[in-house]
Amino acid sequence: MARINTARVGVFLQTVMIILKNNPNGLAGREVLDEMERQIVLSDEERGFYRTNPRENRARVCTRWWTVNLVKAGWIDKSKTAWNITELGSQQLEAFPDPEAFALESRRLYQQWRRENNVPEPVEAEIDTELQVAAGGLLNIET
């Protein structure tokens, strides 16, 4: 199974942000991911399913994980009912038009949040190995 490279992660994250920017009242996570799939042509690998989660394709599962970076960076808010872009998120979307740079900055800010809050890295043995490989190390995106 191939890893999803940083630039591709950035495409997914920027698409999520643009969808939220175009929906200022927010959308349910499911609706965001539905719209994301309409806007991005998924590879066969991204359309595939993990054996541990046959309900959502790999693109949706990985995007749910990657958006943790956006939350911890303060770029989006997620509640049980809606995902919303923040003012800072709108600014960062403009400041980082390159998908790879966007993904790397969100990752840098996630790492900063993790250090400031004394949150340890997840133990790889505890993470589904299929997801680990596809997501490039869970929240670690491959460069």
Side-chain angles (χ1 to χ4, degrees), residues 4 7 12 17-18 29 32 42 52 57 60 64 68 70-71 89 93 102 109 115-116 118 129:
I4 300 172
F12 282 94
M17 297 283 286
I18 291 165
V32 174
L42 300 179
T52 56
N57 65 39
R60 292 173 77 97
R64 286 185 187 279
V68 170
L70 303 179
V71 171
L93 189 56
F102 185 86
L109 292 171
R115 281 189 304 276
E116 289 171 356
N118 297 315
T129 52

Side-chain angles (χ1 to χ4, degrees), residues 55-69:
R55 295 179 313 275
E56 289 192 311
N57 65 39
R58 288 185 178 101
R60 292 173 77 97
V61 171
C62 289
T63 300
R64 286 185 187 279
W65 280 108
W66 296 326
T67 57
V68 170
N69 290 357

Side-chain angles (χ1 to χ4, degrees), residues 62-130:
C62 289
T63 300
R64 286 185 187 279
W65 280 108
W66 296 326
T67 57
V68 170
N69 290 357
L70 303 179
V71 171
K72 299 309 180 186
W75 298 357
I76 67 171
D77 291 318
K78 286 181 171 180
S79 70
K80 288 184 178 184
T81 58
W83 294 8
N84 293 280
I85 192 168
T86 65
E87 182 61 37
L88 178 59
S90 291
Q91 293 168 2
Q92 296 308 302
L93 189 56
E94 301 301 321
F96 293 94
D98 175 67
E100 185 171 9
F102 185 86
L104 289 171
E105 180 64 4
S106 73
R107 175 62 179 162
R108 184 188 70 77
L109 292 171
Y110 166 78
Q111 289 288 12
Q112 179 181 322
W113 170 87
R114 193 183 57 74
R115 281 189 304 276
E116 289 171 356
N117 291 279
N118 297 315
V119 176
E121 283 287 342
V123 177
E124 288 191 24
E126 297 173 359
I127 301 166
D128 183 293
T129 52
E130 274 189 308

